[in-house]
Amino acid sequence: PILGHALRYRTNPAAFLSSSCASVGPVFRLNLAGKRMVVVGSDSAVIKEVATASESILSARRAVAEIGFNETLGSLNVYFGTDLHKRWIKETYGAWWARQPHDAPSGL
């Protein structure tokens, strides 16, 4: 499986991701032609946990660098840009999350 999920993903990415979420749950791994990644689906509690995780637990910098952006954009852009993007996600997602009617899961 050198290509992993790449061919099925390429055919229809949205359908592939939706069916994968439905069959295996909101968090799963993909292998797209050797690029391994984790997908976080539509479960809002899981998205919040991932979006607000500290860098020491879930490294967005490392993930962005390892999928090839370190070579194309350079280390400074990857690390500065990832930090800036994560800050925007936390600010935006945090505000959105606070407006949602829900009982927050314990530990979040």
Side-chain angles (χ1 to χ4, degrees), residues 1 3 5 21 31 40 43-45 50-51 56 59 80 88 93 96 101:
L3 297 177
H5 302 99
C21 268
N31 175 352
V40 179
D43 184 306
S44 62
V50 169
S56 64
S59 178
F80 176 75
W88 288 338
Y93 192 79
W96 174 84

Side-chain angles (χ1 to χ4, degrees), residues 20-36:
S20 295
C21 268
S23 63
V24 298
V27 180
F28 56 93
R29 287 186 241 193
L30 286 181
N31 175 352
L32 298 177
K35 297 292 183 186
R36 299 180 194 282

Side-chain angles (χ1 to χ4, degrees), residues 32-98:
L32 298 177
K35 297 292 183 186
R36 299 180 194 282
M37 54 193 75
V38 174
V39 174
V40 179
S42 61
D43 184 306
S44 62
V46 174
I47 294 169
K48 179 183 184 285
E49 191 167 345
V50 169
T52 59
S54 74
E55 188 68 24
S56 64
I57 295 180
L58 184 62
S59 178
R61 288 183 204 136
R62 182 174 166 205
V64 169
E66 287 181 0
I67 63 169
F69 286 108
N70 205 38
E71 291 82 11
T72 58
L73 298 176
S75 295
L76 179 64
N77 288 323
V78 166
Y79 290 96
F80 176 75
T82 302
D83 287 348
L84 184 62
H85 187 255
K86 189 160 184 167
R87 188 178 82 226
W88 288 338
I89 288 173
K90 283 183 178 182
E91 290 170 1
T92 301
Y93 192 79
W96 174 84
W97 180 262

